[in-house]
Amino acid sequence: MVVVAQRLDEKGIPQVDHRAVVGLAIPLILSASIQALMGITDTWFIGQISSQALAGMNAAWLPTLVALGPFINLGRAVQTLVAQTYAAGDPKGASGHAWSGVGVGLALFPLCGLLSMLGSLLYAGLPLPEGVSEQASAYWQIRVWGGSALLGTFSLSGFFNGIGRTWVTLCVSGCSVLLNGVLNALFIFGFGWGIGGAAWGTILSEYVELSLYLLVFLSGWIHRGYASRHSWHLGWAPLAATWRVRPLLKLGLPIWIYSLADMSSFTLFQLMIGQVGAVEGATAHICLMLSRFAYLPAIGLEQSATVLVGQAIGSGQLAWAKRLGNAVMGWALGYMAVIGGTLALLGQPLIGLFVSEVDANAASIIRLGGLLLKIIGVSFLFDGINFAALGSLRGAGDVRVPMMIMLGMSWLVFLPLSQMMIFPSGQGWLPFLPGLGWGAVGGWLATLIYVAGLGSLMVSRWRSGIWQKTSL
């Protein structure tokens, strides 16, 4: 039985070993922060082209994440399966789950081509400002080809995280982000490919990242402990694949639907903001990139909760799993309080880094962005609670009820509330609703209300203990 993040005090009473928790989490936090640099890098390079290109990036970035959601979230499910299987004493089975994810990614490669063809149809029908639709479509049609690589990289990083080797994830993701920066500079400015160059740089760096993960996964060091060179048949042989893919889908599909509801509702929110004007659209995208960079360390803590809770449950320690989840929640809340306050205080200088001085809209973007980051800073407190509770529930395999909570909050609360707070009465996407007409500021206030409700519901689910009855 694996003893997970536990130490004995002077009286022999088990206590949470916070050093072990932090030791697991730090590489994941750094990896998440480094991954955020990929989006920050794209935003900075595209911001040097024009505010119109930046508005196009705003209109394309979240929709592409929605389209790539099946690949990303099926890969994320591997982490829970590996953590529980490894802690239960089946290392070869753990590597078999990783192979299942890689195999499904290869099988879904044709879906990437279909998504690419849908890009021009999608943006042709959206009410975006002149020139923005073309920029967004160009980015989408290239970016979605990275789907298979994403499923493979998330599956293999989930394997290394699940067995507690989180530093491997840090090293490989760091190499990928460095390559992305070099390729962006080459493709955008060297070859003059514009926003399409950013998309090419991103997907090529993702396929290189997948190759690096496979090299480590097949190395003698991993093979000796987990039979990684022999376990491929557990994930790819027809009968075994059916048995292995079933829990992958059982976990991955609800996680995907959760993410789809979250990202699609936020995509529509971003499009609502973009409809107000180019300044609001560009500002919203910069704020989104900055906030994503700031809160992704909390995503690293969320992944730590998934691993720790999953390992504790795999080794049969249900009560200990709850203590570990609560410990990670404390770390996440503390971090988000600090980083949220920093964004609120330094908002305008940070926004200014992403706007060209010669852009006629620069002053307006900086002024609006500073105000939006104050609202975002407050919402981070509730995001921290939500991330930790969600990660803990996923470690236990409790994914269906969180999915239903997200569906209700995102589509029945967040979007109608955003409509009412962004647009005046009689305007916008749902003109029959009353409106305040507060523009981008009203939209982010709606976001604050939404994440506060979501975080409260997720932590209530975790504290109820119902997840202890979940079986994979």
Side-chain angles (χ1 to χ4, degrees):
M1 182 178 69
V2 176
V3 178
V4 185
Q6 185 179 111
R7 65 176 180 82
L8 300 178
D9 63 15
E10 61 275 5
K11 296 181 180 180
I13 300 174
Q15 303 290 340
V16 175
D17 186 350
H18 287 280
R19 293 180 64 181
V21 172
V22 173
L24 178 75
I26 284 179
L28 291 175
I29 291 171
L30 293 175
S31 177
S33 301
I34 288 171
Q35 284 293 327
L37 286 174
M38 192 172 289
I40 293 287
T41 300
D42 288 350
T43 300
W44 186 87
F45 278 115
I46 292 171
Q48 307 311 302
I49 301 173
S50 68
S51 58
Q52 186 182 68
L54 199 58
M57 183 71 166
N58 173 65
W61 188 77
L62 277 174
T64 57
L65 283 184
V66 171
L68 294 171
F71 303 93
I72 294 172
N73 292 290
L74 284 173
R76 282 177 174 163
V78 171
Q79 185 165 271
T80 297
L81 296 170
V82 169
Q84 293 196 13
T85 305
Y86 162 73
D90 183 11
K92 185 176 182 180
S95 63
H97 285 304
W99 276 120
S100 295
V102 174
V104 172
L106 292 174
L108 291 179
F109 186 75
L111 180 59
C112 299
L114 178 61
L115 290 172
S116 179
M117 291 187 290
L118 291 176
S120 58
L121 297 175
L122 171 67
Y123 287 100
L126 292 177
L128 295 172
E130 184 180 356
V132 173
S133 294
E134 291 77 6
Q135 297 278 355
S137 179
Y139 184 83
W140 164 290
Q141 289 177 319
I142 300 168
R143 180 68 185 90
V144 293
W145 282 101
S148 292
L150 283 171
L151 204 164
T153 57
F154 272 90
S155 297
L156 291 171
S157 66
F159 168 79
F160 289 110
N161 295 343
I163 65 173
R165 304 296 192 269
T166 53
W167 60 268
V168 175
T169 301
L170 172 61
C171 294
V172 174
S173 62
C175 292
S176 175
V177 169
L178 288 174
L179 178 62
N180 181 63
V182 172
L183 293 178
N184 270 354
L186 176 64
F187 294 159
I188 294 175
F189 300 121
F191 293 173
W193 290 354
I195 195 171
W200 277 114
T202 299
I203 66 169
L204 289 178
S205 63
E206 286 169 350
Y207 278 100
V208 171
E209 183 179 4
L210 173 60
S211 301
L212 292 176
Y213 272 124
L214 284 171
L215 285 174
V216 181
F217 183 64
L218 296 172
S219 68
W221 163 57
I222 294 297
H223 174 66
R224 283 190 294 272
Y226 303 90
S228 56
R229 298 175 190 171
H230 297 158
S231 61
W232 63 269
H233 69 279
L234 296 178
W236 291 12
L239 291 177
T242 301
W243 175 66
R244 288 281 172 175
V245 169
R246 186 179 296 115
L248 182 66
L249 296 177
K250 182 179 178 181
L251 280 175
L253 290 179
I255 293 174
W256 169 49
I257 295 172
Y258 179 103
S259 178
L260 179 64
D262 184 22
M263 299 301 295
S264 62
S265 62
F266 212 80
T267 296
L268 294 177
F269 166 78
Q270 289 287 91
L271 293 173
M272 287 182 187
I273 297 292
Q275 190 173 341
V276 177
V279 169
E280 288 77 6
T283 307
H285 183 68
I286 296 173
C287 289
L288 179 63
M289 288 293 101
L290 284 172
S291 61
R292 182 173 182 261
F293 177 74
Y295 75 57
L296 271 182
I299 298 294
L301 287 169
E302 175 191 320
Q303 293 180 8
S304 300
T306 299
V307 172
L308 292 168
V309 171
Q311 288 184 350
I313 290 176
S315 60
Q317 305 171 74
L318 296 179
W320 190 248
K322 188 170 185 177
R323 290 188 64 179
L324 290 172
N326 291 339
V328 175
M329 192 175 299
W331 282 101
L333 183 59
Y335 168 77
M336 293 296 271
V338 172
I339 199 66
T342 302
L343 283 179
L345 291 174
L346 301 179
Q348 289 195 2
L350 290 172
I351 295 292
L353 296 175
F354 296 92
V355 182
S356 174
E357 295 181 357
V358 299
D359 195 304
N361 295 319
S364 298
I365 292 173
I366 292 172
R367 183 169 56 253
L368 176 60
L371 179 57
L372 295 184
L373 286 179
K374 288 181 171 62
I375 301 171
I376 292 170
V378 177
S379 71
F380 269 23
L381 295 173
F382 302 101
D383 277 326
I385 296 172
N386 179 44
F387 291 150
L390 181 63
S392 298
L393 291 169
R394 286 180 177 175
D398 185 4
V399 292
R400 292 185 181 180
V401 171
M403 173 194 72
M404 295 171 64
I405 291 172
M406 170 55 75
L407 284 169
M409 288 295 297
S410 60
W411 283 88
L412 301 180
V413 176
F414 177 47
L415 286 178
L417 187 61
S418 297
Q419 159 72 33
M420 290 188 288
M421 299 185 76
I422 293 172
F423 299 107
S425 297
Q427 296 184 20
W429 295 21
L430 303 171
F432 56 86
L433 291 176
L436 296 174
W438 290 354
V441 174
W444 285 99
L445 286 172
T447 304
L448 171 58
I449 296 170
Y450 160 61
V451 297
L454 184 64
S456 300
L457 291 171
M458 290 299 176
V459 77
S460 296
R461 176 70 178 181
W462 170 249
R463 292 187 178 277
S464 73
I466 298 175
W467 50 270
Q468 294 180 353
K469 301 177 182 179
T470 304
S471 175
L472 298 180

